[in-house]
Amino acid sequence: MTRVDIAFVIQVLSQFMHKPKQSNMEAAQRVVRYIKVAPGLGLLMPAQGSDKLQAFLSWKSKKQDTVARSSAKAEFRSMASTVTELTWQGCTRS
């Protein structure tokens, strides 16, 4: 995922891809127009980079099944998710 600026919108639109309504199609067209105007936005992933792995707090957009009652709990969940993802990525590359 290199376009975090449109991630949530794409996630919402993808829920309607099998039976889109006119409003969904109009929203998708707005996203395409936005991408055409701002093609350089996103994360740069150079071909030649370091083999050093860096992790940052992860996030994702989805319907919430639980609610954190404090920001510390939310950060803990994010760190746990990041560690899980890194561990899984490490296992698949070995």
Side-chain angles (χ1 to χ4, degrees), residues 57-58 64 67-81:
L57 289 180
S58 67
Q64 247 176 264
V67 177
R69 294 182 180 225
S70 72
S71 60
K73 283 185 180 180
E75 288 180 13
F76 177 77
R77 285 187 180 147
S78 179
M79 285 188 286
S81 173

Side-chain angles (χ1 to χ4, degrees), residues 42-89:
L43 301 176
L44 175 63
M45 298 184 166
Q48 289 141 351
S50 145
D51 60 350
K52 189 176 186 182
L53 180 62
Q54 293 182 341
F56 303 92
L57 289 180
S58 67
W59 67 273
K60 61 183 167 183
S61 60
K62 70 171 196 153
K63 293 181 181 176
Q64 247 176 264
D65 51 344
T66 60
V67 177
R69 294 182 180 225
S70 72
S71 60
K73 283 185 180 180
E75 288 180 13
F76 177 77
R77 285 187 180 147
S78 179
M79 285 188 286
S81 173
T82 301
V83 169
T84 302
E85 203 168 311
L86 287 172
T87 302
W88 183 80
Q89 290 291 337

